Amino acid sequence: MPQQQPSRTAPSPVRVTAAEISRIAGVTRATVSNWRRRHEDFPSPDGGTESSPLYDLHAVRAWLRNRGLTAAASPEEELRTALRLKPTESAPLFDLVVELVERGPGGGALSSATYDGAVLAALVRCVHEVGSDAALGVLAERELEESTVGGTYPTPDELADLMARLLPEAARTVLDPACGGGTLLAAARRHGAIALHGQDLVPVQAGRASARLRLAGADGRPLPPDLVRVETGDSLRADAYPALAVDAVLCNPPYGDRDWGHDELAYDPRWAYGVPPRAESELAWVQHALAHLRPDGYAVILLPPAPASRASGRRVRAELVRTGALRAVVSLPAGAAHPFHVGLHLWVLQRPRPSGPERPSVLFVNAEPEQRDGAAARRGPAIRADWSELTERVLNVWTAFTDDPVDYPGEPAVARVVPVVDLLGDTVDLTPARHVRTTSADLAPEVLVARLDGLRDRLTGEAAALLAASEQVTREWPLTAPDQGWRTATVADLVRGGALTLLKGPAARDTGGAALGTESDTTPDRPVLTVDDIAAGEPPSGTGPHPHAGPMHVIAPGDIVLRASASRGGPRARVAGEPEAGALLGPHLNLLRPDPARLDSWFLAGFAAAEDNIATASTGSTIVNVNPGRLRLPLLPLEQQRRYGEAFRRLHVLRTAARLASAASEEAASALAAGLASGAVAPPSGVTARTRTLD
């Protein structure tokens, strides 16, 4: 007898936003907007509001499938969408990722079938096509976005690798008391660590780290559970490992935390080097790390620059130096890790052994890339680190120092060994820049001569370029009546007419980077064009991408990039050329992509960035925001546009030449002044004394 079918009510439709459609289809939101306008059969809104409509997911997928677009979404975006539509707790899914890796593709039925089918299918695809790390990241980011906990910034893999390589090869047990997603412990595992211990305040981070580290077996098989332990909790207030002593500690702790437990932990036995002041949470983490080391064990900690010199931490720093616990401080270039506008420090510590050898000095390393031809003056604040060069520079110096800490001579402009007695002054300043300085006296005479000759040649060349550029614009230009009677159109009008595409940079979220756009990019090492680059007239210098920000667009030659704010000086717009091609559009920037058959790029950039045009399209007083859609452009024939465009291009060349000549003048003058003051350079024979009267 046939079974009776249960009665069913019609399920409520699943609705998605335009942003979710873009993720499902693997395109930008602008593309979805174009579909809505140009295709009459695109599904009509099924809810929401006029400004934020909702669409029936089934109808959207059918429409996409008819056009062969359903497979366009990346496995990560497919998993994000499935989790948004069917929210699922992350912790069990972390364990499921481990099981999927253990079984491998086609490994049979999973131990649990309680998950939504779409979520499970997307997770399986993501794990097997992209990898377990990508899947774990997607599972964690949703709960991180929804939580109120801030400061969950990832440590770049390259930096984690450098920190792990600063440990001795014999380090087998490693602790990270603020482990986040487990990046540092995973790096330690790659370089020989066997037992991994971690703790993190955020439960989803601890769960992610645990799953990631269980999959960190060197032979591709998961590590045994007894070799990986990750606990949830505040390491300073509720240490999960009070009796643990390890070979090494790696840590990227939270910065600037005044609520770290100063009052309740005042008499804690971990403060062997002095009670950390309330404003010095970083020094609490340093001592926490030392307390968990075996004698002679090493710790490498990533810290902001302030703890190296702040007056409130002087006594603790002095004790770290006096006892020999501090072995080295390494300054990293800005852009190496969050916050990207600050050059962070690596502190290398070693727990003193009772009756052990004296450690009479501290190594200071300046890992900033060598500045040539005024590069520092022409770059934005966030310098993309050359990790291969940076790692080699730091490791070579560290190896030479540890091989012979007494007689290591240092390296001019890179490293210097400072005796402990010279550090124990009034400030105990541990900033590498205070101790590692390039002076004319450090350079051999032939090196100094070559440098000064290079600066002179550069200054001569830049001055000649400025003269040539000025000749292009100082000749008589025909005067016309101010009112040309031009017909004009707004950028918004031109976008609607198909002559322009308007794209916007991602929302500026303080997450240490930016995410890849669904249609924009699949390469993780693209540079990012920033607001500072536009204002300074510099090539792309930002770092990215990062999984917690909005989509980013790839810049193409001929694109016009506009600053979204007019609150500061400097160039407002740029026509993308070879240096910008392939870079990602950063936050607070707008991009205009013209149809070259209808609009000239330089014409568009010149009129769009005109002062009166910017003022008309701007709102605000303290922060002046530019609405790009309100910018107005003359409607001129293409040939006439090109004439204006060439004139605007010449003005751009003039401004660029003036900026480079100014930078060359300043650098040459600074170098010569330093040489005169140090005695390395003498006044030329043609310079005679003059008598000056001071009025």
Side-chain angles (χ1 to χ4, degrees):
M1 139 175 220
Q3 294 183 348
Q4 183 179 1
Q5 295 296 323
S7 61
R8 295 181 180 177
T9 59
S12 59
V14 178
R15 296 183 175 92
V16 292
T17 65
E20 287 171 333
I21 294 174
S22 72
R23 297 185 183 102
I24 293 170
V27 298
T28 64
R29 292 183 63 177
T31 301
V32 176
S33 297
N34 287 334
W35 288 345
R36 293 168 53 192
R37 290 195 304 268
R38 298 181 180 181
H39 298 282
E40 294 182 357
D41 61 338
F42 189 83
S44 299
D46 192 31
T49 64
E50 184 176 348
S51 60
S52 181
L54 296 175
Y55 303 85
D56 180 85
L57 176 61
H58 178 76
V60 168
R61 282 182 167 160
W63 190 89
L64 293 171
R65 188 163 49 248
N66 290 337
R67 285 159 179 76
L69 296 170
T70 53
S74 67
E76 299 101 310
E77 288 300 334
E78 183 179 322
L79 179 57
R80 287 189 183 98
T81 300
L83 290 170
R84 275 191 296 272
L85 300 178
K86 294 288 185 179
T88 307
E89 187 180 350
S90 296
L93 292 176
F94 289 145
D95 293 332
L96 195 56
V97 170
V98 177
E99 184 179 349
L100 285 169
V101 174
E102 288 175 334
R103 291 174 176 271
L110 296 169
S111 60
S112 175
T114 61
Y115 304 103
D116 176 78
V119 171
L120 187 59
L123 181 64
V124 171
R125 181 188 173 205
C126 191
V127 170
H128 292 323
E129 293 187 18
V130 186
S132 59
D133 266 7
L136 292 171
V138 173
L139 295 177
E141 70 184 31
R142 178 174 55 89
E143 290 194 22
L144 289 175
E145 289 172 353
E146 295 172 355
S147 72
T148 59
V149 178
T152 53
Y153 308 115
T155 305
D157 288 336
E158 300 89 347
L159 177 55
D161 183 76
L162 169 60
M163 293 172 67
R165 292 176 68 180
L166 287 170
L167 300 177
E169 294 182 0
R172 293 292 179 263
T173 57
V174 180
L175 167 70
D176 184 349
C179 66
T183 302
L184 288 171
L185 289 173
R189 172 60 186 164
R190 290 194 298 270
H191 293 285
I194 295 175
L196 307 174
H197 305 269
Q199 184 171 352
D200 199 84
L201 178 66
V202 184
V204 68
Q205 288 284 69
R208 175 190 184 185
S210 177
R212 181 180 187 182
L213 297 173
R214 286 158 58 192
L215 296 172
D219 54 3
R221 294 180 296 177
L223 287 172
D226 59 327
L227 295 180
V228 176
R229 180 183 169 191
V230 181
E231 301 290 343
T232 300
D234 185 333
S235 292
L236 295 182
R237 285 189 170 95
D239 187 1
Y241 307 98
L244 178 67
V246 294
D247 297 332
V249 173
L250 293 174
C251 191
N252 178 3
Y255 309 147
D257 181 12
R258 289 179 175 269
D259 187 27
W260 58 269
H262 173 268
D263 294 338
E264 63 221 72
L265 299 174
Y267 300 101
D268 196 287
R270 288 173 292 181
W271 314 148
Y273 303 88
V275 178
R278 188 183 303 277
E280 299 287 351
S281 63
E282 297 86 359
L283 296 181
W285 286 101
V286 165
Q287 295 192 72
H288 177 82
L290 285 167
H292 278 290
L293 290 174
R294 296 190 178 103
D296 286 337
Y298 277 88
V300 181
I301 304 179
L302 182 66
L303 296 176
S309 59
R310 235 172 354 216
S312 57
R314 183 187 67 81
R315 291 185 179 181
V316 175
R317 291 197 302 271
E319 194 64 13
L320 290 170
V321 170
R322 187 190 64 78
T323 60
L326 182 67
R327 301 303 312 279
V329 180
V330 179
S331 65
L332 300 174
H338 180 91
F340 290 105
H341 64 287
V342 175
L344 301 175
H345 291 173
L346 289 176
W347 286 29
V348 184
L349 303 115
Q350 186 178 19
R351 181 166 182 171
R353 176 159 42 93
S355 303
E358 183 182 1
R359 297 165 187 164
S361 58
V362 176
L363 172 68
F364 292 92
V365 182
N366 177 18
E368 292 276 356
E370 185 177 355
Q371 307 294 350
R372 299 181 179 89
D373 298 333
R378 300 200 307 272
R379 282 194 235 205
I383 301 172
R384 288 182 59 82
D386 182 338
W387 283 106
S388 176
E389 178 182 348
L390 177 63
T391 300
E392 181 181 8
R393 180 188 297 241
V394 174
L395 292 179
N396 285 346
V397 169
W398 174 244
T399 300
F401 172 71
T402 53
D403 286 346
D404 190 0
V406 175
D407 295 325
Y408 172 64
E411 185 177 337
V414 175
R416 182 184 173 202
V417 176
V418 181
V420 165
V421 66
D422 292 345
L423 294 173
L424 296 176
D426 293 335
T427 60
V428 194
D429 193 335
L430 304 180
T431 305
R434 302 290 185 193
H435 306 285
V436 183
R437 296 188 298 272
T438 306
T439 66
S440 300
D442 293 325
L443 301 176
E446 60 273 15
V447 174
L448 181 59
V449 168
R451 182 185 178 205
L452 294 176
D453 285 346
L455 288 172
R456 181 194 61 200
D457 292 344
R458 176 174 158 234
L459 177 57
T460 302
E462 301 290 12
L466 176 59
L467 179 61
S470 66
E471 291 177 350
Q472 294 290 318
V473 298
T474 55
R475 299 181 187 278
E476 183 178 352
W477 287 20
L479 299 177
T480 63
D483 184 3
Q484 292 289 317
W486 288 327
R487 291 190 306 116
T488 64
T490 65
V491 165
D493 293 332
L494 295 172
V495 169
R496 283 191 290 268
L500 269 180
T501 300
L502 172 61
L503 303 173
K504 296 187 177 183
R509 298 173 55 189
D510 195 16
T511 54
L516 299 175
T518 52
E519 189 181 62
S520 306
D521 180 52
T522 56
T523 308
D525 58 353
R526 290 183 185 268
V528 177
L529 185 67
T530 69
V531 170
D532 294 300
D533 296 331
I534 298 294
E538 296 306 322
S541 68
T543 56
H546 183 281
H548 296 311
M552 298 183 80
H553 305 286
V554 178
I555 299 171
D559 288 345
I560 295 88
V561 182
L562 297 165
R563 287 161 45 197
S565 172
S567 301
R568 58 183 292 187
R572 298 188 182 99
R574 174 183 303 186
V575 177
E578 183 178 346
E580 296 81 16
L584 298 176
L585 183 71
H588 298 304
L589 292 175
N590 297 311
L591 184 145
L592 300 177
R593 181 166 291 164
D595 178 351
R598 300 170 66 179
L599 288 171
D600 178 78
S601 294
W602 282 102
F603 162 83
L604 177 58
F607 277 100
E611 187 172 347
D612 288 346
N613 208 358
I614 292 290
T616 302
S618 300
T619 58
S621 53
T622 303
I623 299 177
V624 181
N625 295 311
V626 180
N627 182 343
R630 294 172 56 187
L631 295 170
R632 303 196 72 88
L633 303 173
L635 298 176
L636 301 180
L638 187 59
E639 186 58 35
Q640 193 172 357
Q641 289 183 39
R642 288 171 176 160
R643 287 181 56 211
Y644 276 94
E646 174 60 20
F648 282 122
R649 188 196 66 79
R650 292 183 182 183
L651 295 178
H652 168 76
V653 171
L654 176 64
R655 289 190 177 105
T656 301
R659 176 176 53 82
L660 295 178
S662 176
S665 301
E666 179 61 33
E667 187 170 354
S670 296
L672 286 169
L676 288 169
S678 67
V681 174
S685 57
V687 175
T688 58
R690 288 186 178 182
T691 301
R692 293 182 178 272
T693 301
L694 299 179
D695 296 330

